[in-house]
Amino acid sequence: MLELIYFCSAFVCGFVLLQLRLPPLIGFLAAGFILHSVGYRTTASLEIISSLGVTLLLFSIGLKLQLKTLAKVYVWAPATLHILVCTALFSAIILLFGFFSLPLFTGLSLENSLLIAFSFSFSSTVFAVKVLEERGEMASFHGKLSIAILVMQDIFAVLFLAVSTGKVPNIWALALLAALLLLRPLMFRVLDKSKHGEMLPLFGFFFALFIGYQLFEFVGLKGDLGALLIGMLFASHEKSGELAKSLLNFKDLMLVGFFLTIGLNAALSGEVLFAAILLVAILPLKVLLYYLFTSIFRVRARTSLLNAFTLSNYSEFGLIVCALAAANQWLPSQWLAVVGVAVSITFIIASPLNTSSNRIYMKIEDWLLKYQTKRRLAVEQEVPLHDAKILIFGMGRIGSGAYETINRHYPGIVTGVDISEESTRYHRQLKRSVIIADATDPDFWQRINHSQVQMIMLSMPKHIQNVLALEQLKASGFKGKVAAIAGYADQQAELEKLGVDSTYNFYLEAGSGFAEHVTEKLFDHTDLLP
């Protein structure tokens, strides 16, 4: 019964924040704080729902993550440097707070400060994925970079937990890993046989929660890491994207429980709130370090900034560290509340920050470009448009279909643009003219010469992507025609208000397209005339 009250409260608060054009997750956090203030506390059932959501989240990340990404120097080097430098810097600041006899900081030893600093060096995987998915940027380069850095942090987290708890993998750990690699072809076959209905999400639940979480816990490995690794095993399968989509609503609903538990577990007091605010005040240093370390390894200024904004928060992992430290009497129990409040505040700050990330970049772009390294990563090199007269942004099913139709009637005048390196590579193998670029990137529109382009078609899957791309398109001075897809009538109205010449509702107009196909293929329409 309590869980029903909690989720209803989350809906009300999330709905209010959504009407204010703020991310609903801020409302979920607020609901937890409000419920805590009137005497409610988290329940065992809500904790289970929260844990299931995090496990499914990590499994979904694994489905989209290529192992070779972690081997890139611009991933593991910034991630490692950030944890080391951030821990040392934050530890020094915490000791400085203690030197001035600030509440809860007084009496902390060097070991205490290093432990707290280490827990605050991590960023939240849950928050980052939520933000990237809402903006349709999971496949973007900065999105992949953020996720890869978070996976590296998860590896550090596993090592820490293994050392601090004395929990080391048992003799069955290597056997499990070897068995999974050997059985991978069989697992692929089971996925193929699961088809497209309700068996597909059940397949995901089975492999994420049982094979991934429970079996890895049994052999002495972290269960969440197991879910991530199992997802990575399926990443190369052609149905990995469909599997991730089938779990999306389950995952999102359960993650509401995660955000509720943060607020419900935060015991507020004057000292706790003061200490949390002090730690939030040094968050910009963490964001700056993310930007500097990725920039050093030749990542473009905008990519570095958006990556830093995505990771501009403290992590729920800090709660795990402090809970472990409090249980072993390494830290006063009040620090668990401090971390909970600090994590919540950074989520509230980071949400609108990420929403405005492109606008912020455009305001400071000239200054950032002065310090951008001259050499570019191969994935961020400029690509010419050649002689394209029509550009299609978003080469998914709709974009690919539009490309084929136009190219069949007017060969050589259309070029596709996609945010995903894997998608771009796939289309090029099919001899399609496709370039990799981010339509929401202001730099992209400034670097290209679109004077010869007569029409732009926006067919990206997320409505917000098409809206942001349209804003950049207008700012670049494009004079041609613009068409865009939408899933709902209100989205069509918004696009038309922003100046789109033609909108296509792919749900409503799918039937007419089907009818035209049948008319063309199966009979001569003149036979139906009276």
Side-chain angles (χ1 to χ4, degrees):
M1 182 61 185
L2 283 177
E3 289 76 20
L4 179 60
I5 295 174
Y6 294 165
F7 277 91
C8 288
S9 301
F11 168 75
V12 172
C13 293
F15 181 80
V16 171
L17 269 293
L18 187 62
Q19 305 316 302
L20 297 175
R21 295 186 176 274
L22 290 172
L25 69 86
I26 299 179
F28 306 153
L29 286 167
F33 282 116
I34 293 170
L35 289 166
H36 185 278
S37 68
V38 295
Y40 287 99
R41 299 294 182 268
T42 188
T43 64
S45 297
L46 189 64
E47 293 286 352
I48 291 173
I49 292 172
S50 171
S51 297
L52 289 174
V54 173
T55 302
L56 288 177
L57 170 72
L58 291 169
F59 178 71
S60 299
I61 291 173
L63 290 172
K64 302 173 184 178
L65 185 67
Q66 300 291 334
L67 189 59
K68 61 183 180 182
T69 303
L70 300 181
K72 303 289 187 182
V73 67
Y74 57 78
V75 172
W76 63 261
T80 305
L81 284 171
H82 186 272
I83 285 183
L84 295 175
V85 175
C86 194
T87 299
L89 181 60
F90 278 23
S91 176
I93 293 173
I94 290 169
L95 289 174
L96 184 64
F97 288 159
F99 177 78
F100 287 106
S101 301
L102 297 178
L104 297 184
F105 293 95
T106 305
L108 291 177
S109 65
L110 176 61
E111 291 78 9
N112 294 148
S113 66
L114 285 171
L115 187 62
I116 296 169
F118 179 70
S119 68
F120 280 110
S121 68
F122 289 79
S123 296
S124 172
T125 302
V126 177
F127 179 88
V129 173
K130 197 73 176 159
V131 167
L132 291 170
E133 284 184 342
E134 286 178 356
R135 293 171 58 83
E137 296 176 349
M138 280 292 289
S140 67
F141 180 59
H142 73 265
K144 289 184 176 181
L145 177 61
S146 297
I147 296 302
I149 288 175
L150 288 166
V151 171
M152 289 297 300
Q153 291 183 354
D154 283 341
I155 294 173
F156 279 99
V158 171
L159 293 175
F160 170 80
L161 291 174
V163 172
S164 60
T165 61
K167 183 179 180 181
V168 295
N170 59 42
I171 193 172
W172 295 104
L174 288 177
L176 175 61
L177 294 174
L180 288 172
L181 291 175
L182 291 173
L183 294 174
R184 191 184 184 200
L186 177 61
M187 292 158 60
F188 273 32
R189 187 167 178 79
V190 174
L191 178 54
D192 287 328
K193 294 291 185 180
S194 296
K195 302 297 182 182
H196 309 284
E198 64 274 12
M199 287 302 298
L200 194 58
L202 280 175
F203 174 94
F205 273 80
F206 176 78
F207 277 91
L209 303 178
F210 178 68
I211 303 296
Y213 193 94
Q214 293 297 336
L215 285 187
F216 272 68
E217 285 283 334
F218 174 75
V219 300
L221 294 170
K222 195 165 180 282
D224 288 337
L225 177 66
L228 177 70
L229 292 177
I230 293 296
M232 291 172 66
L233 283 178
F234 289 106
S236 61
H237 194 283
E238 61 182 10
K239 289 182 68 175
S240 61
E242 184 183 353
L243 176 58
K245 287 180 181 178
S246 73
L247 295 171
L248 184 63
N249 289 333
F250 295 105
K251 169 177 65 70
D252 286 348
L253 184 60
M254 291 177 182
L255 286 176
V256 173
F258 168 80
F259 291 111
L260 281 168
T261 56
I262 290 180
L264 285 164
N265 286 326
L268 292 176
S269 69
E271 287 187 343
V272 166
L273 190 59
F274 179 71
I277 290 173
L278 284 178
L279 291 168
V280 171
I282 62 176
L283 178 65
L285 293 175
K286 178 178 180 176
V287 178
L288 179 62
L289 289 175
Y290 275 127
Y291 180 84
L292 289 176
F293 289 140
T294 50
S295 295
I296 288 172
F297 290 93
R298 297 189 289 131
V299 175
R300 197 159 57 90
R302 178 181 180 268
T303 305
S304 294
L305 186 70
L306 266 60
N307 169 71
F309 283 174
T310 302
L311 304 177
S312 60
N313 52 72
Y314 294 138
S315 172
E316 59 279 358
F317 174 71
L319 295 170
I320 299 173
V321 172
C322 285
L324 178 65
N328 288 283
Q329 298 183 335
W330 299 338
L331 280 177
S333 58
Q334 288 170 297
W335 274 97
L336 185 58
V338 172
V339 176
V341 174
V343 169
S344 302
I345 294 174
T346 60
F347 282 6
I348 293 170
I349 293 172
S351 291
L353 180 67
N354 278 274
T355 302
S356 307
S357 56
N358 271 319
R359 287 192 289 273
I360 294 172
Y361 173 72
M362 291 179 69
K363 289 181 179 179
I364 60 175
E365 178 183 13
D366 292 339
W367 184 78
L368 291 177
L369 292 179
K370 291 179 183 178
Y371 305 100
Q372 181 177 263
T373 55
K374 301 297 182 184
R375 295 177 61 197
R376 296 269 62 76
L377 296 172
V379 71
E380 294 193 298
Q381 294 289 348
E382 297 182 22
V383 181
L385 296 180
H386 305 297
D387 298 321
K389 298 291 189 294
I390 299 175
L391 295 181
I392 300 177
F393 287 89
M395 288 296 289
R397 293 179 181 177
I398 296 176
S400 299
Y403 179 99
E404 283 298 313
T405 301
I406 295 172
N407 196 54
R408 186 164 57 248
H409 291 93
Y410 308 100
I413 70 166
V414 60
T415 292
V417 184
D418 201 90
I419 201 172
S420 168
E421 185 179 2
E422 290 78 15
S423 174
T424 304
R425 190 183 305 116
Y426 167 77
H427 287 296
R428 287 174 178 171
Q429 289 173 351
L430 297 177
K431 307 302 182 184
R432 293 170 179 163
S433 173
V434 179
I435 62 174
I436 181 171
D438 183 355
T440 66
D441 180 358
D443 287 352
F444 168 73
W445 296 103
Q446 293 176 15
R447 293 198 311 265
I448 65 169
N449 178 11
H450 53 55
S451 58
Q452 82 281 7
V453 177
Q454 299 174 8
M455 177 184 290
I456 286 179
M457 302 172 67
L458 303 175
S459 61
M460 290 170 285
K462 292 285 186 178
H463 176 65
I464 184 64
Q465 288 177 294
N466 293 323
V467 170
L468 291 173
L470 186 60
E471 291 176 355
Q472 300 303 327
L473 184 60
K474 291 168 65 178
S476 71
F478 179 69
K479 303 299 183 183
K481 299 291 185 180
V482 180
I485 65 168
Y488 305 97
D490 61 326
Q491 293 178 348
Q492 284 184 282
E494 181 181 3
L495 290 168
E496 289 167 0
K497 187 177 180 181
L498 290 171
V500 171
D501 298 289
S502 175
T503 60
Y504 178 86
N505 189 317
F506 51 84
Y507 288 136
L508 292 179
E509 300 188 47
S512 61
F514 179 49
E516 290 177 5
H517 170 79
V518 172
T519 301
E520 178 184 345
K521 296 292 184 181
L522 299 186
F523 52 78
D524 184 350
H525 66 278
T526 56
D527 295 341
L528 300 180
L529 295 176

